[in-house]
Amino acid sequence: MYKILKKDGNAKRAEFTTVHGTVQTPVFMNVATVAAIKGGVSTEDLEGIDTQVVLSNTYHLHLRPGDELVYRMGGLHKFMSCNKPILTDSGGFQVFSLAKTRKIKEEGVYFHSHIDGHKLFMGPEESMRIQSHLGSTIAMAFDECPSAKAEHEYVQMSVDRTTRWLLRCKKEMDRLNGLEYTVNPHQMLFGINQGAIFDDIRIEHAKRISELDLDGYAVGGLAVGESHEEMYHVLDTVVPFLPENKPTYLMGVGTPANILESVDRGVDFFDCVYPSRNGRHGHLYTNRGHINILNAKYEMDDTPIEEGCGCPACRRYTKAYIRHLLKAGEMLGMRLCVLHNLYFYNHMMTEIREAIEKGEYKAYKKKKLEGMLEFDSETIADGYNIARNWRKG
Ligand SMILES: [Zn+2]
């Protein structure tokens, strides 16, 4: 159940009640693709850094270790010892982005595994069955994410099929939730709005899926190569046509600035690999912009990544030490950087919620965005080299 506590402009402060606990929104979902946050961060660690929701990946878990195995182990919550709400994406995006060859048919998608090349099929029913095996709190509908550069005609045809797939997802989920041995009989379903950058298709699709009374609605197909301005334009266009009394989830987005701007447009669920991926490369978020801890100027720096930060890295360690760990290829360096970045994102969401509650969201956003400009010019190139060397070693 979703309950709006306060509105400030278009920004929503709400509570979303699930069988795995109540989520305070706006919320950032922490990406644990293969049931693990990359960088050696455990579910126990997540409890100490202000996190609320974990996101896991249907496609990856289906291939390894297999959703059947997770089901036999009692579902994803038990398997990874996670007591927070978990959202699983549908696998649709990975089928289109990772698989080498694929054939899209009305029934679903034929493709080859990116791990060992063996032939697979996934359609709406398969995706729902896998997600039901995983027993996640929220399942995502199986959709096609057409390229931002696709022609109008193709996108229209694809979105029409995605709508038919959504109806099949809903029907299959209702059936699965009613079975005796279902891991989570209260599993919820979010639909996904598509339409690339075409306003007419996006709006028409938003209207059609809104009629289905789903548990939440996502805006998909963004952060795939369009400009930030195009993304904000799509949100300005489509969010008013999604039900206000349901969560609005912007998939795969984004930078702290993207999140601040999207909250202002009515979005309240986010997920992104940036904090963990950048953290592994020594690329760190602070309130004064991002820094590259591998820069030589931090060699003898005896201050934390950010003064006043409540994360486990900043409470105890200096930049000089963390920089040394990364240079030496020590796993602990990556871990501390990822913990800091995840804390930064999740803590920013706490600030966002407080600002909306006080009716000061616009002023908060402006101040936060201006502050983050200071270090924006630091290069991150070294970080990628270090990560590459570390993988080789
Ligand atoms: Zn920190």
Side-chain angles (χ1 to χ4, degrees):
M1 208 194 72
Y2 180 79
K3 187 176 161 209
I4 295 180
L5 304 176
K6 165 102 186 175
K7 279 202 75 183
D8 183 7
N10 288 324
K12 297 191 284 181
R13 167 78 184 90
E15 267 180 6
F16 187 55
T17 311
T18 80
V19 282
H20 300 115
T22 299
V23 180
Q24 305 296 331
T25 77
V27 64
F28 180 76
M29 301 189 282
N30 302 271
V31 181
T33 305
V34 297
I37 305 238
K38 288 189 198 307
V41 174
S42 69
T43 40
E44 192 176 350
D45 293 324
L46 289 180
E47 287 158 21
I49 52 169
D50 278 12
T51 61
Q52 297 191 75
V53 184
V54 172
L55 184 147
S56 248
N57 189 286
T58 295
Y59 170 86
H60 289 277
L61 292 174
H62 173 56
L63 296 190
R64 187 171 53 196
D67 51 285
E68 184 73 33
L69 182 145
V70 177
Y71 173 71
R72 285 171 185 222
M73 296 303 291
L76 200 49
H77 282 88
K78 266 196 188 154
F79 188 53
M80 63 189 289
S81 185
C82 177
N83 57 11
K84 295 176 187 296
I86 300 176
L87 180 143
T88 42
D89 61 12
S90 66
F93 185 77
Q94 285 71 32
V95 166
F96 291 101
S97 62
L98 287 178
K100 284 191 192 83
T101 55
R102 60 189 169 264
K103 220 178 245 166
I104 311 168
K105 302 271 191 179
E106 184 61 27
E107 63 266 29
V109 187
Y110 296 88
F111 61 100
H112 290 91
S113 156
H114 77 287
I115 297 175
D116 59 11
H118 82 273
K119 203 177 171 191
L120 292 161
F121 172 78
M122 196 186 286
E125 289 79 10
E126 287 72 19
S127 175
M128 290 302 110
R129 280 173 218 153
I130 296 166
Q131 295 185 76
S132 179
H133 272 163
L134 299 174
S136 54
T137 315
I138 302 163
M140 296 304 299
F142 187 75
D143 64 334
E144 181 188 351
C145 173
S147 155
K149 295 182 178 67
E151 300 285 330
H152 188 277
E153 191 185 351
Y154 181 84
V155 176
Q156 182 67 64
M157 187 270 295
S158 158
V159 166
D160 288 344
R161 182 169 50 210
T162 286
T163 307
R164 293 191 294 276
W165 282 357
L166 176 60
L167 292 167
R168 283 164 55 189
C169 285
K170 189 169 190 298
K171 195 174 163 204
E172 182 65 3
M173 169 151 295
D174 287 345
R175 186 186 75 81
L176 292 162
N177 280 352
L179 295 179
E180 192 177 353
Y181 297 108
T182 296
V183 177
N184 174 17
H186 305 287
Q187 193 167 36
M188 295 189 275
L189 178 65
F190 280 19
I192 305 173
N193 172 256
Q194 291 288 359
I197 52 166
F198 300 111
D199 292 357
D200 58 332
I201 302 178
R202 285 267 179 195
I203 291 173
E204 189 54 36
H205 190 230
K207 286 182 185 168
R208 285 175 74 186
I209 62 178
S210 296
E211 290 164 8
L212 294 178
D213 192 30
L214 302 172
D215 298 297
Y217 290 87
V219 181
L222 293 175
V224 290
E226 80 289 350
S227 69
H228 288 176
E229 287 64 35
E230 283 172 324
M231 178 169 86
Y232 299 145
H233 171 78
V234 167
L235 292 179
D236 287 332
T237 305
V238 81
V239 174
F241 290 96
L242 294 172
E244 195 191 52
N245 62 347
K246 297 287 173 74
T248 307
Y249 166 26
L250 177 55
M251 301 181 81
V253 174
T255 65
N258 291 155
I259 291 177
L260 289 163
E261 291 294 353
S262 303
V263 164
D264 216 2
R265 289 164 169 84
V267 176
D268 50 10
F269 276 56
F270 298 90
D271 80 282
C272 189
V273 294
Y274 286 170
S276 49
R277 180 181 292 165
N278 286 328
R280 298 200 304 281
H281 298 149
H283 179 197
L284 302 166
Y285 294 93
T286 81
N287 283 304
R288 296 164 70 194
H290 55 245
I291 66 166
N292 176 4
I293 199 159
L294 295 160
N295 280 350
K297 66 177 173 183
Y298 300 123
E299 195 174 12
M300 301 270 283
D301 191 322
D302 63 358
T303 64
I305 298 163
E306 180 151 57
E307 293 285 357
C309 173
C311 89
C314 293
R315 285 205 308 261
R316 185 140 186 180
Y317 305 104
T318 64
K319 287 197 206 65
Y321 178 62
I322 294 170
R323 181 178 184 278
H324 156 70
L325 292 174
L326 283 176
K327 285 272 187 192
E330 286 295 335
M331 170 73 91
L332 179 60
M334 287 197 182
R335 193 178 123 77
L336 292 174
C337 288
V338 172
L339 284 171
H340 170 82
N341 276 357
L342 287 178
Y343 179 85
F344 180 87
Y345 265 68
N346 286 278
H347 185 68
M348 182 178 81
M349 303 316 291
T350 306
E351 291 176 355
I352 286 173
R353 292 192 295 273
E354 285 169 2
I356 298 172
E357 279 166 18
K358 288 187 203 148
E360 296 170 354
Y361 187 69
K362 294 256 185 229
Y364 165 78
K365 180 182 93 170
K366 185 167 180 285
K367 193 163 165 242
K368 191 89 174 169
L369 286 172
E370 282 169 0
M372 286 192 296
L373 288 176
E374 188 167 343
F375 291 147
D376 232 355
S377 58
E378 283 199 16
T379 172
I380 57 165
D382 282 357
Y384 287 94
N385 290 334
I386 286 286
R388 214 163 31 232
N389 292 339
W390 187 85
R391 275 200 295 273
K392 269 191 243 157

